[in-house]
């Protein structure tokens, strides 16, 4: 694994594979993004580093890391969008207080804590599994008829 000196700050580039984002957007959202330049969509994304350059001592390149969006969930309602906007602002305030806006570092240790109010009203993993079982049971019952 490459080691950077404390003075090195890698440039972050977004990988062109955006399938996770596209899969999360509804047809209407895609059309709105195309037809209304400047349209904003709020999402929670998971970034995974995929490659890096400029790590060898003899390299004459600045360090760079490519990240890919490996998971994405888009706010489908105005309430979810407002909650994500509030969470984003709360995280930004935390970074201001922590002094991590302009430096590389861990940043807020619990960014998910800002989303607890949002997730409180959403289905749990158990509820999702129960829903899937009900749907499957319904399909079987319809197939038997």
């Amino acid at each position: 694994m490459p080691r950077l000196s404390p003075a090195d700050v890698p440039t972050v580039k977004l990988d062109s594979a955006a399938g996770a984002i596209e899969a999360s957007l509804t047809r209407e959202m895609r059309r709105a993004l195309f037809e209304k330049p400047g349209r904003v969509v709020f999402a929670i994304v998971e970034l995974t580093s995929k490659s890096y350059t400029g790590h060898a001592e003899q390299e004459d390149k600045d360090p760079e890391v490519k990240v890919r969006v490996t998971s994405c969930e888009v706010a489908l309602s105005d309430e979810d969008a407002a909650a994500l906007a509030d969470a984003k602002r709360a995280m930004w305030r935390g970074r201001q207080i922590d002094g991590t806006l302009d430096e590389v570092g861990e940043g807020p240790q619990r960014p998910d804590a800002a989303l607890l109010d949002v997730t409180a009203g959403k289905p749990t993993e158990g509820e999702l599994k129960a829903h899937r079982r009900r749907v499957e049971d319904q399909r079987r019952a319809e197939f038997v008829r």
Side-chain angles (χ1 to χ4, degrees):
M1 201 63 190
R3 294 280 179 211
L4 298 172
S5 75
D8 287 331
V9 179
T11 302
V12 176
K13 300 283 184 165
L14 188 59
D15 186 83
S16 62
I21 296 172
E22 186 175 358
S24 295
L25 295 168
T26 65
R27 182 174 191 261
E28 293 77 21
M29 285 177 167
R30 293 178 197 192
R31 291 183 57 84
L33 287 168
F34 179 83
E35 294 171 348
K36 300 172 186 164
R39 177 71 178 219
V40 173
V41 174
F42 283 89
I44 297 173
V45 298
E46 178 181 273
L47 301 174
T48 304
S49 60
K50 292 296 179 180
S51 64
Y52 53 87
T53 60
H55 58 281
E57 283 184 33
Q58 64 273 19
E59 283 285 323
D60 191 23
K61 293 182 178 179
D62 291 330
E64 176 182 294
V65 62
K66 256 191 191 172
V67 297
R68 181 176 297 159
V69 176
T70 50
S71 179
C72 178
E73 285 300 325
V74 177
L76 298 178
S77 69
D78 290 341
E79 294 81 19
D80 284 350
L84 291 180
D86 286 345
K88 181 182 94 167
R89 284 189 293 274
M91 291 167 65
W92 183 82
R93 288 190 303 268
R95 287 185 2 168
Q96 259 193 325
I97 290 169
D98 293 343
T100 58
L101 279 178
D102 295 325
E103 67 183 50
V104 174
E106 291 295 314
Q109 297 300 307
R110 289 290 320 269
D112 57 323
L115 299 174
L116 292 178
D117 290 340
V118 177
T119 59
K122 299 295 181 193
T124 64
E125 287 292 325
E127 291 169 331
L128 176 60
K129 288 177 184 176
H131 169 74
R132 288 179 176 159
R133 280 193 299 270
R134 283 192 301 274
V135 168
E136 188 60 34
D137 291 347
Q138 222 173 3
R139 285 185 188 147
R140 284 189 193 121
E142 289 174 5
F143 181 73
V144 172
R145 290 184 217 174

